[in-house]
Amino acid sequence: MTCRFRCGDACFHEVPNTSANEYVGDVIAGALSRRSVMRAAAVVTVATATGTAANVVGAQGAEAATAASYPSRAARHPHHSSVPRGLRFSPVAPNTADAVTVPGGYGQNVVIRWGEPILRGAPAFDPENQTAAAQAGQFGYNNDFLALLPLHGNQRLLVANHEYTDEILMFRGYDPANPTREQVEVAWAAHGLSAVVVEGDRRTGRLTPVPRHPLNRRVTATTEFRIAGPAAGSDLLKTSTDPTGRKALGTLNNCSGGTTPWGTTLHGEENFNQYFANASRATDKRYGIGTGATERKWERFDKRFDIAQEPNEVHRFGYVVEFDPYDPSSTPRKHTALGRFKHEAATIRMTDDGRPVVYTGDDERFDYFYKFVGSKRMRHGDSRSVREHNLSLLDEGTLYVAKLTGDSPAIEIDGSGKLPADGEFDGSGTWIPLATATAKGAVSHVDGMTAEEVFVFTRLAGDKVGATKMDRPEDIEPNPVTGKVYVALTNNSNRGKSGFAAADEANPRNSNKHGQVLELTEHCNRAESTSFAWSLFLVAGDPNDPATYFAGFPKDKVSPISCPDNVAFDRHGNLWISTDGNQLGSHDGLFGVATKGDRRGELKQFLTVPTGAETCGPVIGERQVLVAVQHPGEIDGASVEKPASTWPDGPGKIVRPAVVAVWREDGCDIGV
């Protein structure tokens, strides 16, 4: 059911990327010398580790996967420091409880649920009498990315993505073959974004919404957006209702996102292809758009979702959206300079001279990850002119795609996940320029494509320059303490199958069910660099499986993890990972792991989510952790009449996606 409604059964369709790009293992000549140069220039953390953890599934003797000439980290460093600050909690055991399970000594509350009124005049949620007008003033469905932004006193501004709708779990008696107009319009209103002010309890980390606050806002599938950047006004973006190519309606399938130093939020439009019907080979352009009717049948009620009638409408989705939550009258923007593909997220690291660098991944099997290096400097202040300048920072700069090279002989990468002789999956990489946008125009760096084509058909540009095919690159985020960049690669069941790319050093397992996390160090630790060193920080799965790797940490002392999806950091520089689609028989969850010091690689599970749910949008604060519990109860065969979960309100109540806050019951900071 999740596959149907979230991504249009993407993993069961033909893989869109049929290019013959080189794989990481094909390009080895000179890699060792490049690696030595990169490592000498990079900021490298000495990694030694061991530790203890309670209530985890472990493995004995799993270090056998490391080459004999490279002893385990525990053997090299028999003396160990204490558990890192931020990770001092007893791990939650893997489980299948229909609840949010947290460590002992921690409390929790549901902050806000789907359907709760947030705008003035919005009615209380009534699952049996839903209307589009009501939903437009209520918290949307399937919350994903979360941001918690500062306000005065003990109030904060919560911003949430609403990725997609699951009508079977929303409407009693729903007929997938014949949705009503009201049901479709409710779904349009349940997509998009919510901004809602929340009040903090001074004694705990509990948060409660403030209904009808002036900053509360809903953005939906019909909200007006400004198309910004180098493709704005292009003939590729013009439609019968918008002959200017500069004004789009709505945002769809917003997955993860990021925040900016100038006080806005970024939101990645991901599986937009599933909303559009009747594509042909000529109109698809490698984005996996179906040739027939869609799952939701929206094309019956608005011709813009019918490519046969509006071939360019689909070109107006698949961007990074920027939203100003502090200005309820502002028009959100779609930034074409960051490229068009299935954006999982967009996160920012600033250059030393104040320019934004945006990292973003394309969540598809065998697709790529990218970065954008801005050319304009951020200004400080809160005047209207300063804010308007900063809102244009992502319109000028250069878009790059990543190409990775492994440093081990291809014969040592056999698809089993066994470590090569040097004890690490690692190598070097380059950022290949695709196009540069300036105030005077844009220039393509890809032969045979105009700049407008690069920004609208970015996947094709990546194909042409030989970018590295990855195992579903999703969230990408720089560590605010070390500057290293972490890429969540969720899985790829087709890796190594006949007709598909074989395993390589960055994607070392065939039929990859569990995914991995890549650690990237920019040359000289400068965000704008065009070269980098990389290594696999984690190779996920059951620690008892020799094909797993936890930065060299003893595998009998870590929590099992499967399908890393979103990543975040706490103020200590620890990496936090949420999962989606756990293949180990337990529910998805949130995990913390040290990225430096003696305990580097010690992975600990912090919470699990209810039946059928995905862990999304983690926000790791000093006093509380926030997670978005997305699509609870989304199990094949489930419906409103036959729920697979009773979360969050118990038996007899409709299952509802919601945001949860977790805090220490003694009032102290998280994990210290």
Side-chain angles (χ1 to χ4, degrees):
M1 188 184 290
T2 300
C3 294
R4 285 172 58 193
F5 286 97
R6 181 179 58 194
C7 60
D9 279 331
C11 290
F12 299 95
H13 291 174
E14 181 180 351
V15 173
N17 191 349
T18 59
S19 64
N21 292 357
E22 296 171 319
Y23 310 132
V24 175
D26 293 337
V27 192
I28 297 177
L32 288 175
S33 61
R34 286 195 296 273
R35 174 177 176 246
S36 64
V37 171
M38 290 297 302
R39 288 294 176 87
V43 176
V44 179
T45 302
V46 177
T48 60
T50 188
T52 59
N55 301 321
V56 298
V57 177
Q60 299 296 326
E63 290 299 317
T66 303
S69 58
Y70 284 80
S72 71
R73 180 167 285 123
R76 297 197 303 268
H77 301 277
H79 302 290
H80 315 293
S81 65
S82 62
V83 177
R85 291 178 63 83
L87 299 177
R88 296 172 184 172
F89 56 85
S90 295
V92 168
N95 66 79
T96 56
D98 189 26
V100 174
T101 304
V102 299
Y106 282 77
Q108 60 174 292
N109 80 296
V110 174
V111 179
I112 190 168
R113 301 160 174 79
W114 162 50
E116 290 192 29
I118 62 174
L119 301 187
R120 189 176 302 278
F125 180 61
D126 182 353
E128 305 299 335
N129 296 284
Q130 299 180 60
T131 67
Q135 177 65 85
Q138 297 166 339
F139 193 70
Y141 197 77
N142 268 344
N143 31 230
D144 196 302
F145 166 75
L146 302 174
L148 194 61
L149 306 175
L151 283 177
H152 298 295
N154 211 35
Q155 291 188 337
R156 299 291 184 268
L157 182 53
L158 176 69
V159 180
N161 278 357
H162 301 294
E163 185 176 3
Y164 70 98
T165 49
D166 186 333
E167 285 77 354
I168 290 176
L169 298 183
M170 294 172 66
F171 304 109
R172 187 180 301 277
Y174 180 73
D175 180 359
N178 295 289
T180 67
R181 172 171 286 278
E182 190 70 53
Q183 288 170 336
V184 167
E185 291 186 353
V186 168
W188 290 346
H191 277 71
L193 318 173
S194 289
V196 56
V197 172
V198 293
E199 184 84 31
D201 184 330
R202 296 184 183 278
R203 297 169 298 172
T204 69
R206 180 183 296 271
L207 297 172
T208 54
V210 181
R212 298 177 292 280
H213 191 283
L215 289 180
N216 291 1
R217 187 177 180 186
R218 280 300 322 282
V219 172
T220 74
T222 58
T223 300
E224 182 177 318
F225 278 74
R226 172 181 170 182
I227 300 175
S234 166
D235 288 344
L236 295 170
L237 301 182
K238 295 177 180 177
T239 67
S240 63
T241 57
D242 175 30
T244 69
R246 296 180 180 275
K247 183 174 69 174
L249 291 182
T251 184
L252 298 171
N253 214 261
N254 300 91
C255 194
S256 190
T259 59
T260 71
W262 51 91
T264 62
T265 52
L266 303 178
H267 310 265
E269 295 182 319
E270 192 181 15
N271 294 296
F272 63 91
N273 59 298
Q274 64 172 305
Y275 300 91
F276 294 89
N278 302 322
S280 66
R281 185 175 296 274
T283 56
D284 176 34
K285 301 290 187 182
R286 191 153 114 45
Y287 286 86
I289 305 165
T291 57
T294 65
E295 171 73 41
R296 294 175 178 82
K297 312 296 189 297
W298 288 4
E299 64 274 14
R300 296 181 184 177
F301 303 95
D302 191 334
K303 71 174 186 177
R304 68 188 178 116
F305 297 109
D306 186 345
I307 289 180
Q309 298 187 67
E310 284 285 6
N312 282 351
E313 181 69 22
V314 70
H315 300 162
R316 296 142 67 87
F317 293 86
Y319 297 102
V320 171
V321 170
E322 185 169 13
F323 173 64
D324 186 351
Y326 293 105
D327 183 0
S329 66
S330 63
T331 300
R333 306 180 183 212
K334 298 193 178 190
H335 286 295
T336 61
L338 274 62
R340 173 175 165 267
F341 43 86
K342 294 183 180 181
H343 290 274
E344 164 78 12
T347 57
I348 287 183
R349 181 184 174 194
M350 301 296 287
T351 65
D352 290 343
D353 62 354
R355 294 175 292 128
V357 174
V358 184
Y359 295 93
T360 183
D362 187 351
D363 182 11
E364 187 88 65
R365 294 167 296 168
F366 302 111
D367 259 294
Y368 315 130
F369 64 93
Y370 302 78
K371 81 171 179 180
F372 170 84
V373 179
S375 58
K376 297 169 65 174
R377 292 182 175 88
M378 174 185 164
R379 295 177 184 171
H380 295 277
D382 199 38
S383 68
R384 182 171 295 276
S385 62
V386 167
R387 293 191 69 78
E388 188 63 29
H389 169 84
N390 289 339
L391 284 167
S392 72
L393 291 177
L394 304 185
D395 294 333
E396 297 179 28
T398 299
L399 180 64
Y400 297 85
V401 68
K403 183 179 180 67
L404 282 68
T405 300
D407 70 358
S408 299
I411 195 173
E412 294 185 6
I413 309 299
D414 61 6
S416 70
K418 179 181 179 181
L419 287 170
D422 68 356
E424 288 186 290
F425 297 113
D426 61 350
S428 60
T430 57
W431 293 107
I432 304 173
L434 298 177
T436 299
T438 70
K440 296 182 179 180
V443 177
S444 171
H445 305 302
V446 181
D447 290 342
M449 296 183 74
T450 66
E452 288 180 359
E453 290 171 334
V454 169
F455 291 119
V456 176
F457 305 122
T458 311
R459 282 183 168 180
L460 293 176
D463 296 345
K464 284 180 173 289
V465 301
T468 298
K469 297 181 177 183
M470 305 297 291
D471 287 353
R472 288 185 60 199
E474 298 216 34
D475 205 358
I476 305 176
E477 188 152 341
N479 187 324
V481 175
T482 67
K484 293 178 182 289
V485 179
Y486 292 79
V487 184
L489 300 159
T490 297
N491 54 40
N492 187 349
S493 58
N494 280 3
R495 175 70 67 176
K497 290 185 178 180
S498 177
F500 296 101
D504 57 42
E505 196 156 1
N507 307 276
R509 292 181 296 189
N510 292 331
S511 301
N512 180 12
K513 296 190 301 182
H514 301 299
Q516 60 265 15
V517 176
L518 183 144
E519 183 181 69
L520 183 154
T521 306
E522 298 277 22
H523 182 61
C524 295
N525 205 27
R526 297 174 66 89
E528 69 271 30
S529 295
T530 56
S531 58
F532 55 87
W534 65 267
S535 64
L536 290 187
F537 178 65
L538 298 178
V539 181
D542 186 342
N544 199 36
D545 182 351
T548 57
Y549 176 76
F550 295 82
F553 195 81
K555 296 198 292 184
D556 60 335
K557 302 182 186 300
V558 301
S559 297
I561 184 172
S562 177
C563 300
D565 187 3
N566 297 136
V567 294
F569 292 91
D570 60 28
R571 61 193 177 102
H572 309 288
N574 300 307
L575 176 68
W576 291 70
I577 305 167
S578 64
T579 64
D580 171 21
N582 190 330
Q583 296 295 301
L584 295 173
S586 57
H587 285 179
D588 281 310
L590 179 65
F591 302 75
V593 56
T595 61
K596 55 187 175 63
D598 292 354
R599 310 297 276 266
R600 172 177 158 91
E602 182 182 19
L603 183 84
K604 303 173 68 175
Q605 185 156 8
F606 182 74
L607 60 75
T608 56
V609 293
T611 302
E614 169 190 351
T615 319
C616 296
V619 175
I620 316 300
E622 293 184 29
R623 295 286 304 279
Q624 74 262 115
V625 168
L626 266 67
V627 293
V629 179
Q630 194 189 78
H631 59 75
E634 198 168 62
I635 300 292
D636 287 353
S639 65
V640 172
E641 295 81 1
K642 297 180 180 180
S645 170
T646 61
W647 191 87
D649 297 319
K653 303 290 186 179
I654 193 169
V655 64
R656 297 164 74 179
V659 177
V660 172
V662 180
W663 65 88
R664 275 179 60 162
E665 293 177 329
D666 61 7
C668 295
D669 290 352
I670 297 291
V672 299

